[in-house]
Amino acid sequence: MANQQQFDQKQGNMMLGLIVLFSVIIIVALIGILAVRPQPIQISGEAEASEYRVSGKVPGRIERYLVEEGDFVHAGDTLVVIYSPEVEAKLEQAKAARAAAEAQNQKAINGARAEQIQGAYELYQKALAGEEVYRKSFERVKKLHEQGVVSTQKYDETEAQYKVAVANRNAAESQYNMAVKGAREEDQAAAKAMVQRVDGMIHEVNIAKAERYLLSPIDGEVADMFPKRGELVGQGSPVMSIVDMTDVWFHFAIREDMLEDITLHSEFDIRIPALGNGTWRVKVTYIKVMASYATWRSTQTNGSYDVKTFDVKARPLGEIPVGLRPGMTAIIVR
């Protein structure tokens, strides 16, 4: 009887062991099946928005910023003030030229006095002497340049100085002749035109002075500010960027073998993990093949082919999700 009980107990233990063994095998097999089962492919992209670069026509240094990153600005708001001593200097030069042109105009109207005629003659003689000096200097440099002793740059500089001296002599001679003969109607008209020309120069400089104040081109949010206060910026160099949060789209890079349901003007839902579990409807507005480096190359001679990647843009239908920021991940819901 004791032997029978022991035998029955051994059979029970063996049966239990077999059950446990089969259970482990089944569990491992299920895990393996789940592990090797292909997972659905998830297509993700990111949110983008129109960005405008703010730059100026006048070079100078950043005098001060009137906004900070993250501020919302309106079109026409002043954002940056640029300090440009060159503009101030040009304005002073233009004012001085205006005074000279006005004096010349009055001289043409009133005629020249004896003292003015004598002064014009002396200036003419001075210009003649200057022309002679630069002529001789140019002739010497020209000979040396032909012999290869003097550089072309030095030759060009001397030639330019000589031409300036000739021009100064011509101008001085004209002034002297006009002082002797008196101004004609044509000369008076020319003097008046010179005044008007200088007025135009002053107006141009005043416009450039106004360009020291950089304005916002749109309603938007200040995203980036590139140079720091006091740094030098060139003409056309970007100073900051403004993002238009009302002009948002989503960008996806999708392989062509995944474009079956995605066509131009088609619609689909997306999920934005940063904004929770909600979905938003978008519409495809742009599809274009990307560059060759975005192409998957086949390594097999049969049964496979090169797969290109396409640039897909989709715009939201309806209101833009609250809290959406450029760069946030967007996932296509399938």
Side-chain angles (χ1 to χ4, degrees):
M1 179 67 69
N3 292 335
Q4 182 65 34
Q5 290 178 349
Q6 292 177 356
F7 178 77
D8 292 340
Q9 186 176 2
K10 288 181 179 180
Q11 281 188 330
N13 291 337
M14 290 179 60
M15 184 64 67
L16 180 60
L18 290 173
I19 293 174
V20 172
L21 177 61
F22 282 120
S23 299
V24 171
I25 293 174
I26 293 173
I27 292 173
V28 171
L30 291 174
I31 293 175
I33 293 173
L34 293 175
V36 300
R37 186 175 65 180
Q39 298 295 324
I41 298 176
Q42 180 175 274
I43 301 176
S44 62
E46 66 177 1
E48 297 183 4
S50 293
E51 185 174 308
Y52 295 80
R53 297 293 181 93
V54 178
S55 58
K57 297 180 181 179
V58 178
R61 296 187 181 276
I62 301 296
E63 182 175 331
R64 64 181 182 276
Y65 283 105
L66 303 180
V67 294
E68 296 180 355
E69 292 181 351
D71 288 351
F72 185 85
V73 297
H74 297 280
D77 287 352
T78 303
L79 308 176
V80 189
V81 179
I82 297 178
Y83 172 67
S84 180
E86 292 82 3
V87 173
E88 299 294 338
K90 287 181 179 179
L91 181 59
E92 294 300 322
Q93 292 174 4
K95 289 180 179 179
R98 209 294 181 178
E102 180 62 31
Q104 191 66 32
N105 184 41
Q106 291 298 323
K107 180 180 178 181
I109 295 174
N110 300 330
R113 296 180 300 178
E115 297 85 351
Q116 292 174 324
I117 295 174
Q118 182 63 31
Y121 175 75
E122 292 176 356
L123 289 176
Y124 174 46
Q125 295 301 313
K126 180 180 178 181
L128 279 174
E131 178 189 8
E132 181 65 17
V133 171
Y134 280 111
R135 182 184 64 78
K136 292 179 180 179
S137 177
F138 172 66
E139 289 176 352
R140 287 195 298 269
V141 171
K142 182 178 179 181
K143 291 180 181 179
L144 294 174
H145 179 262
E146 291 173 350
Q147 297 172 2
V149 178
V150 175
S151 65
T152 302
Q153 180 178 355
K154 180 64 176 178
Y155 172 79
D156 292 340
E157 291 176 353
T158 307
E159 183 183 18
Q161 292 173 349
Y162 174 57
K163 290 181 178 179
V164 171
V166 172
N168 289 337
R169 189 264 302 164
N170 290 333
E173 183 179 7
S174 298
Q175 294 295 324
Y176 173 66
N177 291 333
M178 186 174 68
V180 172
K181 298 178 181 179
R184 298 180 301 175
E185 293 182 359
E186 295 85 350
D187 296 327
Q188 295 180 5
K192 184 177 180 181
M194 180 61 69
V195 173
Q196 295 174 346
R197 178 183 177 186
V198 175
D199 286 341
M201 292 171 56
I202 294 176
H203 180 65
E204 182 179 359
V205 175
N206 284 328
I207 292 176
K209 189 174 181 180
E211 291 291 339
R212 294 173 52 242
Y213 302 89
L214 305 188
L215 310 180
S216 175
I218 60 166
D219 293 347
E221 183 179 303
V222 178
D224 297 299
M225 300 168 65
F226 306 114
K228 294 182 174 59
R229 184 174 177 270
E231 290 186 344
L232 184 66
V233 292
Q235 183 178 11
S237 300
V239 176
M240 66 172 57
S241 61
I242 309 295
V243 177
D244 184 2
M245 295 304 299
T246 63
D247 186 20
V248 179
W249 66 89
F250 298 92
H251 171 261
F252 301 91
I254 306 176
R255 280 176 19 192
E256 62 177 309
D257 55 347
M258 301 178 187
L259 283 173
E260 181 179 359
D261 300 328
I262 300 177
T263 59
L264 191 62
H265 305 309
S266 63
E267 299 178 8
F268 55 84
D269 292 328
I270 63 169
R271 182 171 59 86
I272 304 174
L275 302 182
N277 297 323
T279 60
W280 287 269
R281 196 73 173 170
V282 296
K283 182 177 181 179
V284 178
T285 59
Y286 175 89
I287 299 179
K288 183 180 180 181
V289 66
M290 299 180 70
S292 58
Y293 64 81
T295 299
W296 177 82
R297 299 293 182 183
S298 170
T299 58
Q300 301 179 7
T301 56
N302 295 317
S304 186
Y305 59 93
D306 294 351
V307 180
K308 294 184 178 181
T309 302
F310 282 76
D311 183 12
V312 178
K313 294 181 182 179
R315 291 187 177 274
L317 297 175
E319 296 184 359
I320 297 175
V322 178
L324 179 65
R325 307 293 302 173
M328 283 186 175
T329 299
I331 301 173
I332 295 178
V333 178
R334 296 245 177 167

